[in-house]
Amino acid sequence: MDRALHRTNIINNHLLQSNSPQFISTNACLSYSSPELNEVSHFDLKEMLKLLDGRNLEDRDRLFNLITQSKLFNPRKVGEKVFVSPGCNQTMEQQREMTMKRIDYLLEKGVFRGWFTEKGIQTELKQLAVLEVGWGHPVFGNEATPRQVVRDTENYVVKGCFAMTELGHGSNVRGIETITRYDSNTAEFVINTPCESAQRYWIGGAANHATHTVVFSQLEINGKNLGVHAFICQIRDADGNICPNVRIADCGHKSGLNGVDNGRIWFDNVRVPRENLLNSVADVSPDGEYLSAIEDPDKRFAAFLAPLTSGRVTIAVGAVYTSKVMIHFKSSLGFSWKSFVAYMCNFLRPGIAGGS
């Protein structure tokens, strides 16, 4: 406690001194400016964008234009440039509703057209470009997903969420506790949350909007554990009502990204058709025979998780692209780095004070 009070007094004295013009004028640190901070580079911004982005420039430009043209994204004009702000001064409920409106707007403009129903390298590159710009799409992420579900997901009739994380298992996917047993009498899988630590936790889209989820679960047939598999499970009907034997709770307010409605999910012996198993790696016959071309459980598990790798890559890609945006932002306004920092403080302050 004494050390905390001591530090508080030091900070308090510093703040009191900093109000004095004499203190500021005589402090060498505050008046020093490195020569390179005041340099302004002049070069062709279009050429720089080609170098930074490299591909799918038309797709990126189209998406940026759609975003900056809509009031849903809080556009603000600064000089000849238009920037968007997230609206962090809104309540959690308002941010979530705004997210859905933005998705509907981009869907109407055809941003997600062909996202799942078209195949090939060009489609994948377009997807990555859209993701880099900052907009993904709810996915079921497996080529074995039924065709109708793929179409409905692309058109946002099915609103998907990705239910892999559990409260107790952390990032240990192999150790998840949710159990799915096969009932050969009805040709159905029965999904169950056996304990509190097995609740699905932090699932984006689950709290309010998702109609379906992909459940990662231990598959059990005739008492034998065959490892982690994924199943499509409906959790809400078309009117937004939670399905029987499914329980959902809100994760609540977060320090950021409140437009995403993170939630928790429990399953109480929820039955899904046999066809709802995502079966690119393994399948189950109607009579309960387990079928897989990969006999080694370790290799089968690796093959099963392989499609998730792209999601991890996009996290790093998103961070890189954000850095690219900031470089372009600074260069396009012709700011020195010192002016750029001052501008950002002024640009962000209205949103913090209440009104962006």
Side-chain angles (χ1 to χ4, degrees):
M1 181 62 71
D2 290 339
R3 294 182 65 183
L5 290 173
H6 177 65
R7 291 171 180 170
T8 302
N9 287 331
I10 291 176
I11 295 172
N12 184 54
N13 291 334
H14 171 75
L15 293 174
L16 290 174
Q17 289 177 354
S18 65
N19 290 329
S20 167
Q22 182 178 3
F23 171 81
I24 294 176
S25 62
T26 58
N27 191 306
C29 294
L30 293 178
S31 61
Y32 175 77
S33 178
S34 177
E36 62 268 19
L37 291 179
N38 295 317
E39 294 178 0
V40 179
S41 300
H42 299 283
F43 50 86
D44 192 323
L45 290 176
K46 291 184 177 179
E47 291 300 316
M48 183 187 75
L49 284 176
K50 289 180 182 179
L51 177 64
L52 291 176
D53 292 339
R55 55 178 174 72
N56 295 88
L57 300 181
E58 291 184 2
D59 294 322
R60 298 169 194 265
D61 287 344
R62 178 172 179 271
L63 183 52
F64 275 127
N65 288 333
L66 287 174
I67 290 174
T68 56
Q69 290 169 8
S70 172
K71 293 182 179 179
L72 294 173
F73 295 89
N74 305 321
R76 298 180 64 183
K77 191 169 183 178
V78 181
E80 296 300 318
K81 297 293 180 179
V82 178
F83 303 93
V84 295
S85 54
C88 294
N89 56 312
Q90 296 177 326
T91 65
M92 181 181 71
E93 290 74 16
Q94 288 173 327
Q95 289 184 58
R96 289 177 174 182
E97 202 57 39
M98 184 59 70
T99 295
M100 295 303 295
K101 290 179 179 179
R102 289 171 176 176
I103 291 174
D104 288 339
Y105 166 74
L106 295 176
L107 183 70
E108 179 185 340
K109 297 299 182 181
V111 171
F112 306 125
R113 189 174 297 126
W115 193 266
F116 297 132
T117 53
E118 296 177 6
K119 301 295 181 183
I121 186 64
Q122 292 306 318
T123 298
E124 293 180 4
L125 289 175
K126 181 180 178 180
Q127 291 175 359
L128 288 173
V130 172
L131 286 168
E132 285 182 351
V133 173
W135 278 94
H137 193 281
V139 301
F140 282 138
N142 192 300
E143 294 180 359
T145 307
R147 186 73 177 174
Q148 183 59 46
V149 175
V150 171
R151 268 196 305 272
D152 287 347
T153 303
E154 182 176 287
N155 295 328
Y156 219 54
V157 175
V158 166
K159 299 176 178 67
C161 64
F162 192 70
M164 183 171 70
T165 301
E166 289 180 351
L167 179 61
H169 86 276
S171 59
N172 177 20
V173 178
R174 204 163 195 169
I176 59 178
E177 298 174 285
T178 300
I179 299 174
T180 296
R181 296 183 174 92
Y182 182 67
D183 185 349
S184 58
N185 296 321
T186 60
E188 293 175 315
F189 291 105
V190 185
I191 306 172
N192 186 52
T193 302
C195 55
E196 278 302 291
S197 59
Q199 64 179 271
R200 296 293 137 146
Y201 201 86
W202 214 250
I203 310 304
N208 291 108
H209 298 117
T211 60
H212 293 69
T213 188
V214 172
V215 185
F216 286 75
S217 171
Q218 303 288 351
L219 173 60
E220 188 176 295
I221 299 178
N222 296 325
K224 182 179 180 181
N225 186 353
L226 295 160
V228 177
H229 293 67
F231 307 84
I232 297 175
C233 178
Q234 186 169 357
I235 58 175
R236 285 187 179 87
D237 62 22
D239 297 322
N241 301 309
I242 298 175
C243 294
N245 300 334
V246 176
R247 182 158 59 99
I248 297 176
D250 200 325
C251 285
H253 190 275
K254 308 185 293 290
S255 59
L257 294 178
N258 280 297
V260 180
D261 55 321
N262 293 93
R264 300 179 285 158
I265 311 174
W266 295 258
F267 304 93
D268 183 13
N269 295 317
V270 178
R271 290 180 172 269
V272 300
R274 184 181 66 89
E275 293 76 15
N276 283 27
L277 167 67
L278 298 183
N279 62 354
S280 65
V281 175
D283 205 348
V284 177
S285 68
D287 61 359
E289 181 183 2
Y290 185 74
L291 308 169
S292 179
I294 306 174
E295 295 184 5
D296 188 317
D298 293 334
K299 293 181 179 179
R300 192 163 62 228
F301 179 73
F304 181 74
L305 290 187
L308 305 183
T309 304
S310 61
R312 303 301 181 263
V313 171
T314 55
I315 295 174
V317 169
V320 171
Y321 199 79
T322 299
S323 300
K324 293 179 182 180
V325 170
M326 298 308 289
I327 291 174
H328 176 250
F329 180 88
K330 181 257 182 186
S331 303
S332 64
L333 294 179
F335 280 178
S336 67
W337 283 112
K338 189 173 182 179
S339 300
F340 170 69
V341 172
Y343 172 78
M344 286 304 295
C345 291
N346 291 325
F347 179 75
L348 292 175
R349 190 173 292 118
I352 296 173
S356 59

